[in-house]
Amino acid sequence: MTFYAVANGRSIGIFLNWNDCNNSVKGYKNALYKESKKRKVDTDIAWDKVKWIDLEMKEDFLEKAKALFNGEECDTRVQFPVDLDDDTILKLSMEAHKRDITLNKMIEIILQEVIDRHRVNGTLA
């Protein structure tokens, strides 16, 4: 059996047929999907040109926050959890969908805006 894993599309998840997968990714900006003959996929090789890393969350967050604050390039593979209630996630997801971006990208934009608002003369206020 063939499975289709969608990491970025209108719907994210595992699809059992190409039509459902295609409906999720066709015309979707930066769609990311992969066909697999098995349901479980090794995340180290799941997506072309994407190498996942697993670092300590606290160090990841501080390193990324410092780079964002200083306007420096940062490793976008570094992730940290954001604890949001269901209503907030729904609202953010709907806004991300309107903008044709991922929820992660939406949260990244919000974090950058918050950092920019609190930046005064190159330091956080």
Side-chain angles (χ1 to χ4, degrees):
M1 180 172 208
T2 301
F3 298 94
Y4 302 90
V6 176
N8 189 25
R10 286 178 193 83
S11 298
I12 296 171
I14 305 291
F15 295 90
L16 303 178
N17 63 66
W18 170 245
N19 286 337
D20 290 343
C21 176
N22 193 38
N23 289 337
S24 176
V25 299
K26 185 177 180 182
Y28 193 85
K29 185 178 178 182
N30 298 320
L32 185 60
Y33 62 97
K34 184 135 180 118
E35 179 181 329
S36 177
K37 295 294 181 189
K38 54 187 177 177
R39 190 175 181 116
K40 186 169 169 79
V41 179
D42 182 354
T43 57
D44 285 339
I45 58 170
W47 310 107
D48 295 340
K49 300 179 186 172
V50 175
K51 176 65 177 161
W52 296 95
I53 56 174
D54 186 15
L55 301 173
E56 292 296 318
M57 196 282 299
K58 183 177 178 182
E59 293 171 11
D60 292 351
F61 174 78
L62 294 174
E63 186 177 314
K64 187 168 188 173
K66 180 180 174 186
L68 286 171
F69 176 74
N70 292 327
E72 301 168 352
E73 292 289 322
C74 61
D75 187 345
T76 57
R77 298 174 299 174
V78 177
Q79 302 175 4
F80 56 92
V82 178
D83 188 20
L84 302 171
D85 61 77
D86 291 344
D87 289 336
T88 302
I89 291 173
L90 178 60
K91 289 175 186 174
L92 289 173
S93 296
M94 291 171 63
E95 182 61 28
H97 182 74
K98 286 182 196 173
R99 296 182 186 197
D100 196 20
I101 60 176
T102 65
L103 177 60
N104 285 345
K105 184 66 177 175
M106 185 74 210
I107 292 172
E108 182 182 331
I109 290 168
I110 292 168
L111 289 173
Q112 185 63 57
E113 289 173 358
V114 169
I115 290 169
D116 290 345
R117 257 192 314 217
H118 288 86
R119 186 178 297 176
V120 177
N121 298 325
T123 60
L124 284 177

